[in-house]
Amino acid sequence: MGTGRPMVSFLLMFFLVLNVPAQRTTTDTPATTSFTFRGFSGNESETRISGVAMIKPDGLLRLTDRNPNVSGTAFFNKPVRLLETNGDSRVIRSFSTSFVFVIIPTSSSNGGFGFTFTLSPTPDRPGAGSAQYLGLLNKENDGNSSNHVFAVELDTVQGFKDGADSTGNHIGLNFNSLTSDVQEPVAYYDNDHPDRKEDFSLQSGKPIRALLDYDGPTQTLNFTVYPADSESKPLRPLISRRVPKLLEIVQEEMYVGFTAATGRDQSSAHYVMGWSFSSGGERPIAETLDLSELPPPPPNTMKKRGYNGKVLALIVALSGVTLILLALLFFLVIYKKRLQRGEILEDWEINHPHRLRYKDLYAATDGFKENRIIGTGGFGTVYRGSISSSSSHDQIAVKKITPNSMQGVREFVAEIESLGRLRHKNLVNLQGWCKHKNDLLLIYDYIPNGSLDSLLYSRPRQSGAVLSWNVRFQIAKGIASGLLYLHEEWEKIVIHRDVKPSNVLIDDNMNPRLGDFGLARLYERGSLSHTTVVVGTIGYMAPELTRSGKSSTASDVFAFGVLLLEIVSGRRPTDSGTFFLADWVMELRASGEILHAVDPRLGSGYDSGEAKLALTVGLLCCHQRPASRPLMRMVIRYLNGDEDVPEIDDNWGYSDSSRSDLGSKFEGNVSSDQTSSSIASFSVTRVSSSSVISGR
Ligand SMILES: *[C@@H]1O[C@H](CO)[C@@H](O)[C@H](O)[C@H]1NC(C)=O
Ligand SMILES: *[C@@H]1O[C@H](CO)[C@@H](O)[C@H](O)[C@H]1NC(C)=O
Ligand SMILES: *[C@@H]1O[C@H](CO)[C@@H](O)[C@H](O)[C@H]1NC(C)=O
Ligand SMILES: *[C@@H]1O[C@H](CO)[C@@H](O)[C@H](O)[C@H]1NC(C)=O
């Protein structure tokens, strides 16, 4: 290649010979054309450049930069005569071209779209599209036979027209269309092993040499492409084919040049370092382009480890999603925090006038400090607090309960909303409630004297101060009065479920106040549904509770009976299982010594009539059969002396085995199920009686 050319041609960076054609045609265009661009600077006038194409100061022809969706073309500015007509026969003259190019992609996997060497009827490609149209054609004219374009495409992107050009990095021969008639992956034949192809990448960023030779008489087109720094030119062309179709393309005058385009996501800079062309004559051979004579290749600034468009889009999308999720998480955390602080209410919490703000309770109890604890136990911890507001109750007791389920709380709250309206001098006034996290906070009036439990047991032990008989009797009647209110006098029946000394608070006037009503219910509700749960305190639980599990006013009466006996006797209802207060009193009564049951610490300081009355009523209330127990209304009448106390019938204990029956039942429940120790609501000291949560 390049031999046999006049020496002078090698001396010129740009060499153009216009040989006078042997036979004149109707136009002035010569039959042969030869030119060589060893770099393009200074010879702008010899080229026709459009789109983003430009000649760089260093002599490189840059068809496209790496901006997306651009195209550029560069044609030799004079037409070449490739068609030779002899009467009816039309022959395409032989031609040869050689060019050295560099493709620098945005990143090794993100180049595009490619460029072409083109025979075109025009010196530019107006209306041509970017991306897969390679600056050559467009959507409308692609494939139209009126195009009269032939192109060798050097494509770096696969997949135009869904598999037609299915390989990226390929060479294609295109006739009027971007769908290649002939297509080959980019490779060159190894001269030592002529059957072996060496693959290489068009978009390596290194100079690549392309040779195209067309032989007119045989209509054979040879195309070879190989790295420009190879020691020798491959002897066997990559493509060697007859291309009779070219005859349909080539017109009288054709322009030769390059087109290139980038895609929206895939883009490369396409450079031509040098270009030689020769046509006409016996065997035209384009001049050899020595790398040393060409301008230096463009610096390879491709990002070594880049992402292609799809991956990039994915990353961007994922980042976006992540950001959104983070934002959501952020707001969720804020929301949860506010929820925990009780600032956001669940639907059911709204419109409850007795709901108090956690913030206020937190402040009132000094942040639920330990030194504010005035009682702990099975149903929760009680804190003393003070609310300095216009409210008349500046002292409050806050009971903090952790129920086993919030579902129970919801129902419970519905109930205490109505309980909140309960007003009776013998009931602890429930001021309100607050749900916070998993805790339910109940706010009661603060009752200063502690519980009956502590007055009966702890205080005498500590100070020797024994509750006087009058006070005991007054307390008993007060409790009865409170219970009557719950059972009969309020708008609906309220069952206390846990009547015992620790739930009776004594105020300044030694007036008893029943507290914690309904609380046991919360635990029954909160428990697993497949078990029947009885919540109460050993010794105060009516026998039928262990059988049916159903609380009733009668079971409250039973507990009151035990409590009454306890107040009089100063003895706990049961010890470790051998002593039962009611049975013991019953035995004393049977032997006519019922007053022996009176608390010995009272000495003779008691009214024997009232004591006997109280013990008898207590026994009546402890009847094994619920139906035989008196109503609270009657209990009060008996205690007030308004009505004579009926005789206790022989079936009081149901049967001879009642005692062991009762005992074994309680024991069974205690041993088989959870037992939690309950502490007096407002007492300062621990109480040894226990609450039982039994299930079956
Ligand atoms: C460009 O081509 C002209 C001839 O058309 C030639 O005289 C000139 O030397 C060339 N320029 C360079 C820089 O080679
Ligand atoms: C590409 O650029 C052309 C104008 O050159 C414009 O009409 C077309 O919408 C662009 N395409 C994309 C995908 O940006
Ligand atoms: C081909 O192009 C010509 C001229 O632009 C046009 O008249 C003709 O309709 C086109 N044919 C097709 C099939 O698009
Ligand atoms: C094309 O290549 C074939 C096979 O290498 C060769 O025989 C033929 O001479 C070549 N033709 C041209 C025009 O280079």
Side-chain angles (χ1 to χ4, degrees):
M1 204 174 176
T3 53
R5 280 277 150 206
M7 272 304 286
V8 67
S9 68
F10 291 105
L11 303 176
L12 300 172
M13 276 297 283
F14 168 66
F15 179 75
L16 173 64
V17 182
L18 303 177
N19 284 334
V20 178
Q23 53 189 127
R24 282 242 154 234
T25 60
T26 48
T27 67
D28 293 337
T29 311
T32 60
T33 303
S34 286
F35 59 83
T36 300
F37 291 97
R38 291 184 168 87
F40 295 81
S41 69
N43 295 92
E44 287 81 356
S45 62
E46 308 296 334
T47 55
R48 181 81 160 261
I49 280 170
S50 40
V52 297
M54 69 176 290
I55 292 170
K56 304 266 283 176
D58 59 6
L60 292 171
L61 167 62
R62 191 183 71 188
L63 294 165
T64 72
D65 51 21
R66 287 190 291 192
N67 284 319
N69 190 29
V70 294
S71 59
T73 62
F75 283 88
F76 184 56
N77 74 337
K78 295 190 184 78
V80 290
R81 278 195 59 83
L82 290 177
L83 199 60
E84 186 181 316
T85 43
N86 264 331
D88 284 346
S89 80
R90 296 161 79 243
V91 177
I92 296 170
R93 294 194 172 103
S94 301
F95 64 91
S96 169
T97 193
S98 164
F99 50 91
V100 176
F101 64 92
V102 177
I103 299 177
I104 299 176
T106 311
S107 67
S108 58
S109 58
N110 197 32
F113 252 77
F115 86 114
T116 70
F117 170 79
T118 297
L119 300 185
S120 162
T122 50
D124 50 15
R125 301 299 308 155
S130 57
Q132 69 265 34
Y133 296 106
L134 299 178
L136 180 69
L137 295 171
N138 59 42
K139 205 175 159 194
E140 281 69 41
N141 64 13
D142 182 27
N144 193 322
S145 59
S146 71
N147 288 332
H148 290 283
V149 291
F150 165 75
V152 179
E153 72 170 48
L154 296 103
D155 200 342
T156 55
V157 176
Q158 71 185 70
F160 176 54
K161 286 203 171 171
D162 286 328
D165 291 2
S166 56
T167 329
N169 195 47
H170 65 263
I171 309 297
L173 302 186
N174 298 359
F175 301 86
N176 288 328
S177 167
L178 283 155
T179 307
S180 308
D181 276 23
V182 176
Q183 197 186 121
E184 284 291 339
V186 174
Y188 62 91
Y189 282 99
D190 189 335
N191 284 344
D192 297 332
H193 309 88
D195 291 330
R196 190 196 294 168
K197 271 196 247 184
E198 298 288 341
D199 293 337
F200 67 99
S201 170
L202 289 178
Q203 49 182 357
S204 60
K206 291 179 184 154
I208 292 168
R209 196 183 298 273
L211 307 170
L212 189 158
D213 294 295
Y214 176 76
D215 183 49
T218 61
Q219 296 183 325
T220 305
L221 185 144
N222 285 359
F223 186 80
T224 307
V225 63
Y226 61 103
D229 57 2
S230 295
E231 282 170 18
S232 55
K233 161 188 181 257
L235 295 172
R236 184 177 167 187
L238 175 66
I239 296 170
S240 178
R241 267 182 204 255
R242 284 198 65 226
V243 283
K245 244 187 172 178
L246 204 56
L247 210 51
E248 298 161 22
I249 305 287
V250 174
Q251 295 180 312
E252 287 290 319
E253 295 192 335
M254 295 296 277
Y255 290 86
V256 292
F258 304 98
T259 75
T262 64
R264 193 157 49 95
D265 306 318
Q266 293 155 295
S267 59
S268 301
H270 299 91
Y271 291 91
V272 180
M273 293 166 66
W275 175 30
S276 60
F277 181 89
S278 181
S279 69
E282 196 60 23
R283 191 157 180 110
I285 295 176
E287 292 226 13
T288 302
L289 303 166
D290 274 338
L291 273 187
S292 59
E293 293 169 337
L294 303 180
N300 184 351
T301 55
M302 99 171 107
K303 299 181 195 106
K304 283 285 184 283
R305 293 195 347 244
Y307 304 99
N308 71 29
K310 278 174 190 163
V311 173
L312 208 66
L314 198 68
I315 288 171
V316 168
L318 285 179
S319 309
V321 168
T322 307
L323 269 178
I324 289 169
L325 286 180
L326 278 176
L328 278 178
L329 196 71
F330 177 77
F331 286 116
L332 200 70
V333 166
I334 298 276
Y335 178 83
K336 263 198 98 174
K337 272 213 158 135
R338 294 187 60 193
L339 194 66
Q340 283 170 0
R341 272 188 274 146
E343 289 165 18
I344 295 170
L345 302 178
E346 291 174 28
D347 283 347
W348 61 269
E349 289 182 75
I350 302 166
N351 291 330
H352 281 309
H354 292 94
R355 197 187 62 79
L356 302 182
R357 289 198 303 175
Y358 181 73
K359 225 166 72 179
D360 297 340
L361 298 179
Y362 190 87
T365 56
D366 223 355
F368 292 95
K369 262 209 185 121
E370 265 186 45
N371 62 12
R372 294 298 194 103
I373 295 177
I374 51 177
T376 52
F379 284 157
T381 308
V382 184
Y383 299 84
R384 188 172 54 80
S386 47
I387 286 181
S388 48
S389 68
S390 54
S391 165
S392 54
H393 311 284
D394 34 328
Q395 292 277 76
I396 56 167
V398 180
K399 187 161 202 158
K400 192 173 186 175
I401 314 166
T402 308
N404 12 22
S405 92
M406 270 299 142
Q407 195 188 340
V409 167
R410 192 172 166 166
E411 293 169 31
F412 178 76
V413 161
E415 191 165 291
I416 55 175
E417 268 304 316
S418 60
L419 295 187
R421 286 183 280 119
L422 286 172
R423 284 289 181 277
H424 190 269
K425 68 178 171 63
N426 294 117
L427 295 180
V428 178
N429 182 27
L430 176 65
Q431 293 190 17
W433 58 275
C434 169
K435 187 174 78 67
H436 177 249
K437 289 189 203 175
N438 292 324
D439 294 332
L440 178 67
L441 300 161
L442 296 174
I443 299 91
Y444 295 98
D445 289 353
Y446 175 73
I447 312 290
N449 252 347
S451 73
L452 173 61
D453 191 273
S454 71
L455 289 180
L456 275 180
Y457 305 109
S458 312
R459 201 171 293 179
R461 253 202 320 278
Q462 285 162 3
S463 61
V466 175
L467 272 185
S468 72
W469 172 254
N470 282 344
V471 170
R472 290 186 198 214
F473 201 58
Q474 186 195 333
I475 285 172
K477 287 202 265 189
I479 296 168
S481 172
L483 215 45
L484 172 66
Y485 179 77
L486 289 178
H487 285 182
E488 297 176 40
E489 292 175 355
W490 200 54
E491 53 199 51
K492 61 184 183 190
I493 297 171
V494 177
I495 300 168
H496 188 290
R497 288 156 203 268
D498 204 13
V499 176
K500 59 181 176 183
S502 57
N503 279 340
V504 176
L505 306 183
I506 310 296
D507 66 18
D508 282 337
N509 305 320
M510 295 311 267
N511 182 45
R513 284 166 170 264
L514 209 43
D516 276 0
F517 34 85
L519 244 189
R521 189 77 195 279
L522 176 63
Y523 283 83
E524 290 181 19
R525 283 210 184 106
S527 301
L528 295 172
S529 54
H530 63 263
T531 54
T532 306
V533 171
V534 179
V535 177
T537 303
I538 279 265
Y540 303 90
M541 289 163 74
E544 74 272 11
L545 278 180
T546 61
R547 300 194 191 108
S548 71
K550 286 203 71 154
S551 297
S552 61
T553 50
S555 55
D556 270 0
V557 170
F558 182 93
F560 173 78
V562 176
L563 178 59
L564 194 52
L565 297 179
E566 199 176 347
I567 291 170
V568 177
S569 66
R571 299 187 69 153
R572 294 202 181 277
T574 181
D575 56 15
S576 53
T578 56
F579 174 83
F580 295 99
L581 181 59
D583 289 0
W584 177 68
V585 175
M586 194 64 182
E587 278 165 16
L588 289 174
R589 179 185 169 275
S591 56
E593 302 172 309
I594 194 166
L595 288 178
H596 283 185
V598 176
D599 191 345
R601 288 172 297 185
L602 287 170
S604 57
Y606 67 93
D607 183 318
S608 58
E610 286 174 353
K612 195 173 174 186
L613 176 69
L615 287 170
T616 312
V617 171
L619 285 176
L620 258 185
C621 292
C622 289
H623 200 291
Q624 294 292 289
R625 202 164 51 206
S628 301
R629 295 172 205 150
L631 297 174
M632 284 317 294
R633 185 206 321 273
M634 294 311 295
V635 169
I636 291 186
R637 290 183 69 80
Y638 299 148
L639 290 179
N640 286 338
D642 297 339
E643 193 106 21
D644 287 338
V645 184
E647 273 302 303
I648 297 170
D649 66 50
D650 294 336
N651 287 332
W652 180 85
Y654 247 4
S655 67
D656 288 346
S657 63
S658 67
R659 186 197 299 190
S660 58
D661 183 45
L662 181 67
S664 66
K665 275 202 159 48
F666 279 138
E667 276 167 14
N669 281 307
V670 175
S671 58
S672 61
D673 296 291
Q674 320 136 264
T675 306
S676 52
S677 113
S678 168
I679 299 303
S681 309
F682 302 108
S683 68
V684 189
T685 49
R686 267 187 169 268
V687 173
S688 57
S689 66
S690 59
S691 282
V692 182
I693 299 173
S694 68
R696 48 173 189 177

